[in-house]
Amino acid sequence: MSSSLYRLGRAMARARWRAVGAWALLMIVIGGLALGLGGAFSTQFEIPGTPSQEGLDELSTRFPQMSGTSGQLVFVTTDGSTVEAHREDIEQVMEQAAEVDGVEAAPSPFEDTSPGTRNDEGTALIGTVQMAGAVGSFPEGSIQTLEQIAEDASHGSLEVHLGGQILQSSEVPMGASEVIGVVAALVILALAFRSLIPAFIPIVTAIIGVGVSMMAVMALAAGIDIPEVTISLGAMLGLAVGIDYALFILSRHRAQLARGEDVEESIGEAIATSGSAVIFAGLTVVIALVGLFVTGIPFLTMMGLASAGTVALAVVVALTLLPAIMGLLGERLRPRKVRREMARHGGVLPPPDPDAPVRRPFGTRWVRLATRVPVLTVLVVVLVMGALAVPVKDLRLGLPDLGTEKPDTLARQTYDLVAQEFGPGYNGPLLVTADIINSDDPLGVVEDLESRVAGLQDVQEVQLATPNEGADMAVVVVIPTGAQTDESTADLVRQMRSLAPDWESELGISDIRVTGQTAVAIDITDQLSRALLPFAIFVVGLSLILLTLVFRSLWVPLKASLGYLISVGAAFGVVAMVFEYGWGNAALNVHVVGPVISFMPIMCMGVLFGLAMDYEVFLVSRMREEYVHSGQARASIERGFTGSAPVVIAAALIMFAVFASFIPEGSYMLQPIAVALAVGVLVDAFVVRMTLVPAVLALLGDRAWRLPAWLDRILPRIDVEGEGLVRVLEHRRWTQAHGPSAIRLEGAVLPLLPTGAAGEDLEGRLGPLTGAVAPGTLLLVRSEDAPARRALLAAVGGRARPLAGVLAVGDRLSPEDISAIQSRTHWIGPDADVTARLAGISPRTARGRVIVLEDATALLRAGEDAAARLEELLASGACAVVGAPDPDPSADLSARLRDPSVLRALRVHRTRGAEAAPPAQPDRPDPRPSSDPALEGARS
């Protein structure tokens, strides 16, 4: 992957204006779609298959008058008179409301068929307004018209208040605090880079990524139900990871420029090294967010997919737009002091003064403190973070209602008024539905059902009990004594469901369901609570697997996963302190004390998992690299920490600033998520990764980096720090010194491949082989040993991996770029129509291609036309490799060629026994040319 990223970075730097233009065009197109489609976000939370949702679906079909979205017109007298004295004014208001476009029904609250609810004193009355459709789908201006009717009707001794679900907003809440978060990130970046120009780059790329992804989500909302909180959540995550990913790559680029590297070369290396880690970090976040599907809740899955898409786009921006911008700025990103020094020395940076004093950075002092007595450090961290996590036991989950709106909103004021005048249960009524088609006394059975419901302990009153027009369905509107989020209301729902079978048997009815928005909220909370443990196992298990692959260790993943759980516990503990205990509410502009949004734990666990693995990789990978080179466990911790800590500190502070900025002005759904992420990032970066991790590694010593040999053999290798880039740069230096080659072998050892013959001997290896084949060459590979001959053909064609050494086809290395080698190779089998296959290769695209013919006799049988076509392709820059058993067909081939000088012959044979063992591979391939003439061949 690192070699492909290296080429991508250089390509983006060279085509910088085209890359910037492509992103600008993409923003315009996506923005046009978002404006043209005009999607609206959903404010309703649904889980298909739950009893409450099935009840609502059946209600909309069999009792449509009670479906849709309900609102309230609350009439309150201010002079102590009863609402009866204002009957004429109230009925006039309800008549005006019924005429508003989009209103399904607004019956008079004085009618016997649908009486409105009055308080005990008779000074307050609730009238019902039923809107068609869901929030966000109402006719334009309908809600404003209802608000105006209520305002005009309020006079002297009568006040009219509009409330209910129709006032739930589908607009995206964004305020000035988010801008403050971006400004704070800019200040941190300026301090980290000690320059203003590079500080702006991560901000710009992050805003572009968020802009494109958010406009795409808005466009998709026209055809897909997407929760309104998705846009704020996506913006928060996109800004945070977008800035951080750009910071990691840009920091590497600036460090390389400070060492005097060429701008384009530095961009390629930065994308290949830090870009690999960015891909891994982004992939972990994406997998965790996509993993929300394990909850089985569609709206949460949609939130996870939208957020995952935002993170994925942030990675793409960091790998394409960022190198283009770095290429545009060029030398201006090089530190000013280094630029002046290079200008004085003819564009070359002189070596550092060995006598210059070495300043000990803060990171070195901190890691020495953390590892001085590692056992004490571990105990202190575990005890303090454990204490911080204790309040988690009091954390309650639920879905927001209008009581979580800000106090200055009309919806919240009416909600509080209803709770004060009538009781909290009137803001969250329950619906009990039943199938009464088999009853011959629908009115009587409805009364019997009503009496049973009314007799339950937590029922304040039954507001309405009636059959539908077809007398085949009964609906009982139940007012609980508690609010929607009270535990007593949830207990009442569970009690009625447990009693439903008995009621069905006693009354001769069927399909009793407890539904309504309050029941839906309870069902969602219960299902999310059940999904929490499976999701935690999924996330922790994923972290163990990924980190085992990356660090080739068992202790490092185990320590990282336990540290992640510590961070999650501390974050949720602080959320409980703020939202359950009310600590710091005023400072954070949190206006409600009570349950937090039910999907907060799962969503935060997914995001924090990705961020924790991000910091783990950037810190520990540098320590591992130092240990591989030095073998000194304690010293490697110090050197690795010192080299990577500054970037991690800046990244964590930026994340904290962005997440914290969404707390003051965010919706109640977003605020606990923002608090959890802000605290989680601080704890994970500064307490877990930068304090606990070095202490644990110091305790483990050399054991931290060991992996059982059997496990090491079967696990695939993942290059997250661009270790494979060493081979790419070595091949590039070789090419600069010796010129381009179609095929290059340097100590390559290849496995023997079967040909399908009976009793085939596959003992031994082919090689080591060293040499090079120039473009335009026809290489004849001769051998009576078919497995050995096929081994070289397959390796060159990308069908077999070398066991050791260097095998390059053009500028691609095997096995790193084996897929690219396969795509550049035309494989022609012994039974293929050689003439037709060669005719299908265009000379205009032949440069850099390799044509592999398994059998030279097939080429000879094809005649002179095939030979002429092959020569034309060779003249266009292709290379041909032809297998041939003895006897030698060189003379026949030479006779068919107009220019026999393109033909080279190579005789290969296998090595057996001790000779067949692959040579030990150095950390860096030797860039010097070899004198081994194995591929020099002989002129035909």
Side-chain angles (χ1 to χ4, degrees):
M1 181 172 66
S2 58
S3 58
S4 299
L5 290 176
Y6 172 74
R7 278 181 281 271
L8 174 65
R10 290 175 61 89
M12 291 296 103
R14 287 193 296 267
R16 41 192 173 270
W17 283 114
R18 279 179 288 177
V20 172
W23 276 102
L25 179 62
L26 181 64
M27 286 191 68
I28 293 172
V29 171
I30 300 296
L33 286 174
L35 291 175
L37 296 175
F41 295 98
S42 171
T43 61
Q44 302 297 317
F45 297 99
E46 301 176 355
I47 303 183
T50 57
S52 56
Q53 190 60 48
E54 290 175 350
L56 286 178
D57 295 340
E58 188 172 8
L59 197 65
S60 63
T61 303
R62 300 173 65 181
F63 209 152
Q65 295 87 345
M66 298 198 70
S67 62
T69 307
S70 63
Q72 298 168 328
L73 282 169
V74 183
F75 303 90
V76 181
T77 62
T78 59
D79 59 357
S81 60
T82 64
V83 292
E84 192 69 38
H86 301 272
R87 177 170 184 165
E88 183 177 346
D89 293 337
I90 292 173
E91 288 185 334
Q92 183 178 356
V93 169
M94 299 305 295
E95 290 173 1
Q96 293 175 355
E99 296 174 358
V100 175
D101 189 19
V103 174
E104 188 80 16
S108 169
F110 296 101
E111 293 181 359
D112 294 336
T113 55
S114 56
T117 300
R118 306 188 189 194
N119 64 354
D120 295 337
E121 294 80 16
T123 57
L125 175 68
I126 298 177
T128 302
V129 177
Q130 199 73 18
M131 299 288 290
V135 174
S137 64
F138 305 148
E140 185 177 356
S142 58
I143 299 300
Q144 289 77 6
T145 302
L146 289 173
E147 291 176 352
Q148 190 63 48
I149 290 173
E151 183 179 346
D152 293 343
S154 297
H155 60 82
S157 58
L158 182 66
E159 291 181 353
V160 184
H161 303 267
L162 180 66
Q165 296 174 1
I166 60 174
L167 293 184
Q168 285 184 327
S169 174
S170 60
E171 298 179 354
V172 180
M174 299 291 283
S177 63
E178 287 84 353
V179 178
I180 296 174
V182 174
V183 173
L186 178 62
V187 172
I188 296 169
L189 288 168
L191 293 174
F193 289 126
R194 299 182 182 179
S195 176
L196 203 55
I197 292 178
F200 273 102
I201 297 177
I203 302 293
V204 171
T205 56
I207 290 175
I208 291 174
V210 168
V212 172
S213 58
M214 292 301 98
M215 287 187 292
V217 170
M218 290 179 184
L220 290 173
I224 304 174
D225 286 337
I226 299 178
E228 63 171 338
V229 72
T230 303
I231 198 79
S232 298
L233 183 64
M236 182 172 66
L237 292 180
L239 279 176
V241 301
I243 294 174
D244 268 16
Y245 294 164
L247 169 63
F248 290 135
I249 295 175
L250 185 57
S251 296
R252 178 66 68 101
H253 176 55
R254 289 256 301 172
Q256 291 167 172
L257 291 180
R259 295 196 298 266
E261 285 195 22
D262 173 71
V263 171
E264 187 177 309
E265 181 69 20
S266 175
I267 292 174
E269 291 187 23
I271 296 296
T273 52
S274 293
S276 298
V278 163
I279 290 177
F280 174 80
L283 183 63
T284 56
V285 180
V286 168
I287 291 175
L289 291 171
V290 172
L292 291 171
F293 76 91
V294 302
T295 62
I297 301 175
F299 76 83
L300 194 57
T301 301
M302 184 58 61
M303 289 173 59
L305 290 175
S307 300
T310 302
V311 174
L313 190 63
V315 174
V316 175
V317 169
L319 298 179
T320 55
L321 181 60
L322 177 61
I325 293 176
M326 292 192 299
L328 283 173
L329 293 173
E331 289 289 338
R332 279 174 287 181
L333 291 179
R334 196 184 300 274
R336 187 178 293 108
K337 181 180 178 180
V338 177
R339 286 206 306 268
R340 289 197 297 264
E341 195 72 15
M342 292 178 67
R344 286 197 297 266
H345 293 81
V348 179
L349 186 66
D353 183 3
D355 298 326
V358 178
R359 187 176 64 88
R360 181 183 298 172
F362 172 76
T364 302
R365 298 194 297 271
W366 177 259
V367 74
R368 287 181 179 178
L369 177 64
T371 58
R372 182 174 300 165
V373 186
V375 175
L376 179 61
T377 302
V378 172
L379 287 176
V380 170
V381 169
V382 171
L383 290 176
V384 173
M385 293 300 103
L388 204 59
V390 168
V392 172
K393 62 181 177 58
D394 298 322
L395 187 63
R396 294 178 297 152
L397 304 177
L399 287 184
D401 55 14
L402 293 176
T404 62
E405 296 289 329
K406 294 183 178 180
D408 58 349
T409 60
L410 179 61
R412 173 66 181 277
Q413 291 169 355
T414 304
Y415 179 95
D416 292 341
L417 178 64
V418 169
Q420 176 185 339
E421 295 289 344
F422 304 93
Y426 282 89
N427 283 309
L430 298 169
L431 300 179
V432 178
T433 65
D435 191 323
I436 58 173
I437 193 170
N438 295 324
S439 173
D440 54 5
D441 183 13
L443 292 176
V445 78
V446 168
E447 290 179 1
D448 291 340
L449 180 61
E450 176 187 3
S451 65
R452 283 166 170 77
V453 172
L456 299 178
Q457 180 178 357
D458 293 318
V459 174
Q460 180 171 334
E461 73 165 313
V462 173
Q463 190 177 33
L464 177 68
T466 181
N468 63 350
E469 292 182 356
D472 60 357
M473 184 180 190
V475 176
V476 179
V477 181
V478 183
I479 305 299
T481 56
Q484 172 179 309
T485 56
D486 287 354
E487 190 61 31
S488 62
T489 306
D491 291 338
L492 176 61
V493 171
R494 299 185 187 102
Q495 183 183 14
M496 287 192 290
R497 285 175 175 170
S498 66
L499 293 172
D502 295 336
W503 292 347
E504 291 173 354
S505 176
E506 294 169 4
L507 301 177
I509 58 180
S510 60
D511 293 336
I512 293 181
R513 292 189 176 97
V514 182
T515 186
Q517 290 303 319
T518 299
V520 169
I522 292 170
D523 285 348
I524 291 176
T525 301
D526 289 346
Q527 186 156 335
L528 281 168
S529 300
R530 289 192 298 269
L532 195 58
L533 181 59
F535 183 74
I537 294 173
F538 169 80
V539 169
V540 173
L542 178 66
S543 68
L544 288 171
I545 294 172
L546 289 177
L547 291 175
T548 301
L549 293 175
V550 171
F551 293 112
R552 322 301 294 180
S553 166
L554 292 178
W555 285 108
V556 170
L558 185 61
K559 170 263 308 171
S561 298
L562 292 176
Y564 159 72
L565 294 177
I566 289 175
S567 302
V568 169
F572 291 173
V574 173
V575 170
M577 294 177 193
V578 174
F579 293 90
E580 296 292 350
Y581 303 162
W583 298 352
N585 271 17
L588 297 175
N589 196 28
V590 175
H591 46 271
V592 178
V593 174
V596 300
I597 188 74
S598 52
F599 54 76
M600 183 279 294
I602 280 184
M603 183 65 69
C604 291
M605 286 176 66
V607 176
L608 282 176
F609 163 73
L611 301 181
M613 297 308 104
D614 190 353
Y615 300 141
E616 180 78 12
V617 167
F618 276 96
L619 272 173
V620 181
S621 61
R622 185 69 67 91
M623 299 178 190
R624 176 176 175 268
E625 181 182 347
E626 293 288 343
Y627 178 78
V628 169
H629 291 161
S630 68
Q632 300 172 344
R634 183 64 72 97
S636 299
I637 296 172
E638 183 177 317
R639 288 195 295 267
F641 184 93
T642 303
S644 54
V647 177
V648 173
I649 290 173
L653 290 176
I654 289 170
M655 285 273 190
F656 173 78
V658 173
F659 290 146
S661 69
F662 280 79
I663 299 173
E665 299 298 329
S667 65
Y668 188 74
M669 285 190 290
L670 188 65
Q671 282 181 321
I673 296 176
V675 170
L677 292 179
V679 174
V681 164
L682 277 186
V683 170
D684 194 84
F686 292 101
V687 179
V688 174
R689 307 302 157 188
M690 298 180 65
T691 305
L692 181 64
V693 166
V696 173
L697 291 177
L699 277 176
L700 293 172
D702 294 324
R703 289 170 297 176
W705 312 109
R706 292 175 186 168
L707 187 69
W710 63 270
L711 187 58
D712 186 56
R713 285 193 298 270
I714 64 175
L715 290 179
R717 295 186 177 272
I718 298 179
D719 178 12
V720 297
E721 271 297 317
E723 295 171 3
L725 182 63
V726 174
R727 284 162 50 85
V728 175
L729 297 179
E730 183 276 330
H731 181 61
R732 190 163 179 267
R733 288 191 295 268
W734 187 95
T735 303
Q736 290 172 345
H738 301 88
S741 63
I743 301 169
R744 177 197 167 206
L745 296 158
E746 188 85 31
V749 179
L750 310 176
L752 299 181
L753 297 181
T755 61
E760 211 163 26
D761 177 16
L762 297 178
E763 181 185 353
R765 298 285 188 269
L766 178 63
L769 301 173
T770 298
V773 178
T777 300
L778 193 161
L779 178 66
L780 184 67
V781 180
R782 295 172 46 211
S783 179
E784 295 178 352
D785 189 347
R789 185 177 68 247
R790 184 174 175 81
L792 182 57
L793 296 178
V796 169
R799 296 192 173 193
R801 297 169 179 267
L803 300 174
V806 176
L807 169 58
V809 179
D811 61 346
R812 301 288 179 166
L813 288 165
S814 181
E816 295 93 331
D817 299 322
I818 198 165
S819 297
I821 293 174
Q822 291 172 355
S823 67
R824 294 183 175 194
T825 302
H826 299 273
W827 188 279
I828 303 177
D831 300 324
D833 186 342
V834 176
T835 303
R837 291 291 305 277
L838 293 176
I841 305 172
S842 171
R844 289 179 296 178
T845 60
R847 179 174 296 277
R849 300 276 176 171
V850 174
I851 303 167
V852 179
L853 292 98
E854 283 194 75
D855 194 344
T857 57
L859 178 61
L860 293 173
R861 287 196 307 267
E864 294 182 356
D865 290 343
R869 180 64 173 182
L870 181 59
E871 278 196 278
E872 182 183 3
L873 295 174
L874 295 177
S876 300
C879 173
V881 182
V882 182
D886 282 336
D888 184 5
S890 300
D892 294 335
L893 276 176
S894 180
R896 295 287 179 91
L897 298 173
R898 291 192 298 268
D899 181 11
S901 65
V902 300
L903 181 62
R904 295 286 186 274
L906 172 68
R907 185 176 180 85
V908 296
H909 61 86
R910 73 176 72 188
T911 53
R912 297 178 183 271
E915 294 180 277
Q921 293 301 297
D923 290 336
R924 290 179 178 268
D926 187 352
R928 297 171 298 174
S930 172
S931 59
D932 188 337
L935 285 186
E936 291 300 319
R939 176 162 271 173
S940 174

